[in-house]
Short mmCIF file of all heavy atoms in Angstrom, two decimals:
data_model
loop_
_atom_site.label_atom_id
_atom_site.label_comp_id
_atom_site.label_asym_id
_atom_site.label_seq_id
_atom_site.Cartn_x
_atom_site.Cartn_y
_atom_site.Cartn_z
N ARG A 1 54.09 -24.24 -2.31
CA ARG A 1 53.81 -23.13 -1.39
C ARG A 1 53.02 -23.60 -0.17
O ARG A 1 53.12 -23.05 0.90
CB ARG A 1 53.03 -22.03 -2.09
CG ARG A 1 53.85 -21.28 -3.10
CD ARG A 1 53.02 -20.13 -3.66
NE ARG A 1 53.82 -19.30 -4.50
CZ ARG A 1 54.45 -18.21 -4.08
NH1 ARG A 1 54.33 -17.84 -2.83
NH2 ARG A 1 55.16 -17.49 -4.91
N SER A 2 52.24 -24.63 -0.36
CA SER A 2 51.38 -25.14 0.71
C SER A 2 52.14 -26.13 1.59
O SER A 2 52.87 -26.98 1.10
CB SER A 2 50.16 -25.83 0.11
OG SER A 2 49.42 -26.47 1.12
N ARG A 3 51.97 -26.03 2.87
CA ARG A 3 52.57 -26.96 3.83
C ARG A 3 51.51 -27.89 4.41
O ARG A 3 51.75 -28.61 5.37
CB ARG A 3 53.26 -26.21 4.97
CG ARG A 3 54.42 -25.36 4.53
CD ARG A 3 55.63 -26.22 4.21
NE ARG A 3 56.57 -25.45 3.41
CZ ARG A 3 56.89 -25.75 2.17
NH1 ARG A 3 56.36 -26.78 1.57
NH2 ARG A 3 57.73 -25.01 1.49
N ASP A 4 50.33 -27.89 3.81
CA ASP A 4 49.22 -28.68 4.34
C ASP A 4 49.52 -30.17 4.43
O ASP A 4 49.14 -30.83 5.38
CB ASP A 4 47.96 -28.47 3.50
CG ASP A 4 47.44 -27.05 3.57
OD1 ASP A 4 47.80 -26.33 4.53
OD2 ASP A 4 46.69 -26.64 2.67
N ARG A 5 50.20 -30.72 3.43
CA ARG A 5 50.44 -32.15 3.40
C ARG A 5 51.76 -32.54 4.05
O ARG A 5 52.06 -33.72 4.16
CB ARG A 5 50.42 -32.64 1.95
CG ARG A 5 49.06 -32.49 1.30
CD ARG A 5 48.91 -33.27 0.02
NE ARG A 5 49.12 -34.69 0.25
CZ ARG A 5 50.02 -35.42 -0.40
NH1 ARG A 5 50.78 -34.89 -1.30
NH2 ARG A 5 50.14 -36.71 -0.14
N GLY A 6 52.57 -31.59 4.46
CA GLY A 6 53.90 -31.88 4.97
C GLY A 6 53.93 -32.88 6.11
O GLY A 6 54.73 -33.82 6.09
N ARG A 7 53.09 -32.70 7.09
CA ARG A 7 53.08 -33.61 8.24
C ARG A 7 52.69 -35.02 7.83
O ARG A 7 53.28 -36.00 8.29
CB ARG A 7 52.13 -33.11 9.32
CG ARG A 7 52.65 -31.92 10.06
CD ARG A 7 51.74 -31.56 11.22
NE ARG A 7 52.24 -30.38 11.86
CZ ARG A 7 51.53 -29.29 12.08
NH1 ARG A 7 50.28 -29.23 11.72
NH2 ARG A 7 52.07 -28.25 12.67
N ALA A 8 51.70 -35.13 6.96
CA ALA A 8 51.26 -36.44 6.50
C ALA A 8 52.36 -37.14 5.70
O ALA A 8 52.57 -38.35 5.84
CB ALA A 8 49.99 -36.31 5.66
N ILE A 9 53.07 -36.37 4.88
CA ILE A 9 54.15 -36.95 4.10
C ILE A 9 55.28 -37.43 5.02
O ILE A 9 55.80 -38.53 4.85
CB ILE A 9 54.66 -35.93 3.06
CG1 ILE A 9 53.60 -35.77 1.98
CG2 ILE A 9 56.00 -36.34 2.47
CD1 ILE A 9 53.84 -34.61 1.05
N VAL A 10 55.63 -36.63 6.00
CA VAL A 10 56.67 -37.03 6.96
C VAL A 10 56.23 -38.29 7.71
O VAL A 10 57.02 -39.23 7.85
CB VAL A 10 57.00 -35.88 7.94
CG1 VAL A 10 57.84 -36.37 9.11
CG2 VAL A 10 57.72 -34.76 7.21
N ALA A 11 55.00 -38.31 8.18
CA ALA A 11 54.51 -39.48 8.92
C ALA A 11 54.55 -40.73 8.04
O ALA A 11 54.92 -41.82 8.51
CB ALA A 11 53.10 -39.23 9.42
N THR A 12 54.19 -40.58 6.78
CA THR A 12 54.20 -41.72 5.86
C THR A 12 55.63 -42.19 5.61
O THR A 12 55.91 -43.40 5.67
CB THR A 12 53.53 -41.34 4.53
OG1 THR A 12 52.19 -40.92 4.79
CG2 THR A 12 53.52 -42.51 3.56
N ILE A 13 56.54 -41.28 5.35
CA ILE A 13 57.94 -41.66 5.10
C ILE A 13 58.55 -42.33 6.34
O ILE A 13 59.28 -43.31 6.22
CB ILE A 13 58.76 -40.44 4.66
CG1 ILE A 13 58.33 -39.99 3.25
CG2 ILE A 13 60.25 -40.75 4.69
CD1 ILE A 13 58.96 -38.69 2.79
N LEU A 14 58.21 -41.83 7.52
CA LEU A 14 58.79 -42.40 8.75
C LEU A 14 58.31 -43.82 9.04
O LEU A 14 58.90 -44.51 9.87
CB LEU A 14 58.53 -41.49 9.94
CG LEU A 14 59.37 -40.21 9.96
CD1 LEU A 14 58.95 -39.33 11.14
CD2 LEU A 14 60.86 -40.52 10.03
N ARG A 15 57.27 -44.27 8.35
CA ARG A 15 56.83 -45.66 8.51
C ARG A 15 57.71 -46.64 7.74
O ARG A 15 57.57 -47.85 7.89
CB ARG A 15 55.37 -45.81 8.06
CG ARG A 15 54.37 -45.26 9.04
CD ARG A 15 52.96 -45.75 8.76
NE ARG A 15 52.42 -45.27 7.50
CZ ARG A 15 51.59 -44.22 7.37
NH1 ARG A 15 51.24 -43.54 8.44
NH2 ARG A 15 51.13 -43.89 6.20
N ASP A 16 58.61 -46.14 6.92
CA ASP A 16 59.49 -47.01 6.16
C ASP A 16 60.28 -47.89 7.12
O ASP A 16 60.81 -47.40 8.12
CB ASP A 16 60.46 -46.19 5.30
CG ASP A 16 61.20 -47.03 4.29
OD1 ASP A 16 62.11 -47.79 4.68
OD2 ASP A 16 60.87 -46.93 3.11
N PRO A 17 60.40 -49.18 6.83
CA PRO A 17 61.08 -50.08 7.76
C PRO A 17 62.60 -49.87 7.85
O PRO A 17 63.22 -50.32 8.81
CB PRO A 17 60.76 -51.47 7.21
CG PRO A 17 60.44 -51.27 5.78
CD PRO A 17 59.82 -49.89 5.69
N ILE A 18 63.18 -49.19 6.88
CA ILE A 18 64.62 -48.94 6.93
C ILE A 18 64.83 -47.52 7.42
O ILE A 18 64.59 -46.54 6.71
CB ILE A 18 65.28 -49.18 5.56
CG1 ILE A 18 65.05 -50.64 5.16
CG2 ILE A 18 66.77 -48.85 5.60
CD1 ILE A 18 65.60 -51.03 3.83
N GLU A 19 65.26 -47.42 8.66
CA GLU A 19 65.36 -46.14 9.35
C GLU A 19 66.24 -45.13 8.61
O GLU A 19 65.90 -43.95 8.52
CB GLU A 19 65.90 -46.37 10.76
CG GLU A 19 65.93 -45.14 11.61
CD GLU A 19 66.40 -45.45 13.04
OE1 GLU A 19 66.96 -46.53 13.28
OE2 GLU A 19 66.19 -44.58 13.89
N MET A 20 67.36 -45.57 8.05
CA MET A 20 68.26 -44.65 7.35
C MET A 20 67.58 -44.04 6.12
O MET A 20 67.76 -42.86 5.83
CB MET A 20 69.54 -45.37 6.94
CG MET A 20 70.55 -44.45 6.31
SD MET A 20 71.03 -43.12 7.43
CE MET A 20 72.51 -43.79 8.07
N VAL A 21 66.79 -44.82 5.43
CA VAL A 21 66.07 -44.32 4.25
C VAL A 21 65.05 -43.27 4.67
O VAL A 21 64.99 -42.18 4.08
CB VAL A 21 65.38 -45.49 3.50
CG1 VAL A 21 64.44 -44.97 2.42
CG2 VAL A 21 66.42 -46.43 2.90
N SER A 22 64.27 -43.57 5.68
CA SER A 22 63.22 -42.65 6.10
C SER A 22 63.79 -41.37 6.71
O SER A 22 63.36 -40.26 6.36
CB SER A 22 62.25 -43.32 7.06
OG SER A 22 62.90 -43.72 8.25
N LYS A 23 64.76 -41.51 7.59
CA LYS A 23 65.32 -40.32 8.23
C LYS A 23 66.04 -39.42 7.23
O LYS A 23 65.97 -38.20 7.33
CB LYS A 23 66.24 -40.71 9.38
CG LYS A 23 65.48 -41.19 10.60
CD LYS A 23 66.39 -41.43 11.77
CE LYS A 23 65.58 -41.81 13.00
NZ LYS A 23 66.44 -42.02 14.16
N SER A 24 66.74 -40.01 6.29
CA SER A 24 67.42 -39.21 5.26
C SER A 24 66.42 -38.40 4.46
O SER A 24 66.67 -37.23 4.15
CB SER A 24 68.22 -40.12 4.32
OG SER A 24 69.25 -40.76 5.01
N ALA A 25 65.30 -39.00 4.12
CA ALA A 25 64.28 -38.29 3.34
C ALA A 25 63.66 -37.15 4.14
O ALA A 25 63.46 -36.05 3.62
CB ALA A 25 63.20 -39.27 2.89
N VAL A 26 63.40 -37.38 5.41
CA VAL A 26 62.80 -36.34 6.25
C VAL A 26 63.79 -35.19 6.47
O VAL A 26 63.41 -34.01 6.38
CB VAL A 26 62.31 -36.92 7.59
CG1 VAL A 26 61.89 -35.82 8.55
CG2 VAL A 26 61.15 -37.89 7.35
N VAL A 27 65.05 -35.51 6.70
CA VAL A 27 66.07 -34.46 6.86
C VAL A 27 66.18 -33.65 5.57
O VAL A 27 66.28 -32.43 5.61
CB VAL A 27 67.42 -35.07 7.27
CG1 VAL A 27 68.55 -34.05 7.15
CG2 VAL A 27 67.35 -35.59 8.70
N ALA A 28 66.15 -34.32 4.43
CA ALA A 28 66.22 -33.62 3.14
C ALA A 28 65.02 -32.68 2.97
O ALA A 28 65.17 -31.56 2.48
CB ALA A 28 66.27 -34.62 2.00
N LEU A 29 63.84 -33.11 3.39
CA LEU A 29 62.65 -32.27 3.29
C LEU A 29 62.80 -31.03 4.17
O LEU A 29 62.58 -29.90 3.71
CB LEU A 29 61.40 -33.05 3.68
CG LEU A 29 60.09 -32.25 3.70
CD1 LEU A 29 59.78 -31.65 2.33
CD2 LEU A 29 58.95 -33.13 4.18
N VAL A 30 63.18 -31.23 5.41
CA VAL A 30 63.36 -30.10 6.33
C VAL A 30 64.43 -29.15 5.80
O VAL A 30 64.26 -27.92 5.80
CB VAL A 30 63.70 -30.60 7.75
CG1 VAL A 30 64.10 -29.44 8.65
CG2 VAL A 30 62.53 -31.37 8.33
N ASP A 31 65.52 -29.70 5.29
CA ASP A 31 66.60 -28.89 4.75
C ASP A 31 66.13 -28.06 3.56
O ASP A 31 66.42 -26.87 3.47
CB ASP A 31 67.77 -29.80 4.36
CG ASP A 31 69.00 -29.02 3.98
OD1 ASP A 31 69.37 -28.09 4.73
OD2 ASP A 31 69.60 -29.34 2.94
N ARG A 32 65.41 -28.67 2.65
CA ARG A 32 64.91 -27.95 1.47
C ARG A 32 63.96 -26.83 1.86
O ARG A 32 64.02 -25.73 1.31
CB ARG A 32 64.20 -28.91 0.52
CG ARG A 32 65.12 -29.87 -0.14
CD ARG A 32 65.36 -29.40 -1.53
NE ARG A 32 66.28 -30.32 -2.16
CZ ARG A 32 66.99 -30.03 -3.20
NH1 ARG A 32 66.89 -28.84 -3.73
NH2 ARG A 32 67.80 -30.89 -3.72
N ILE A 33 63.06 -27.11 2.78
CA ILE A 33 62.11 -26.09 3.22
C ILE A 33 62.86 -24.95 3.91
O ILE A 33 62.59 -23.77 3.66
CB ILE A 33 61.03 -26.70 4.14
CG1 ILE A 33 60.13 -27.63 3.32
CG2 ILE A 33 60.21 -25.60 4.81
CD1 ILE A 33 59.18 -28.47 4.15
#
């Protein structure tokens, strides 16, 4: 229910060196929400 950590999680995932892995995860998060 809380979105407090959402930005931090996205920022952390986007640091992944493989762009396709990180972007897919972020898109999945936005889609689920």
Side-chain angles (χ1 to χ4, degrees):
R1 290 185 173 266
S2 173
R3 296 285 162 245
D4 295 340
R5 295 195 60 236
R7 286 186 183 126
I9 289 168
V10 168
T12 302
I13 291 172
L14 286 176
R15 284 196 294 262
D16 191 287
I18 300 179
E19 186 176 16
M20 184 59 97
V21 170
S22 63
K23 285 186 176 181
S24 295
V26 171
V27 168
L29 176 60
V30 171
D31 188 47
R32 290 258 179 200
I33 291 170

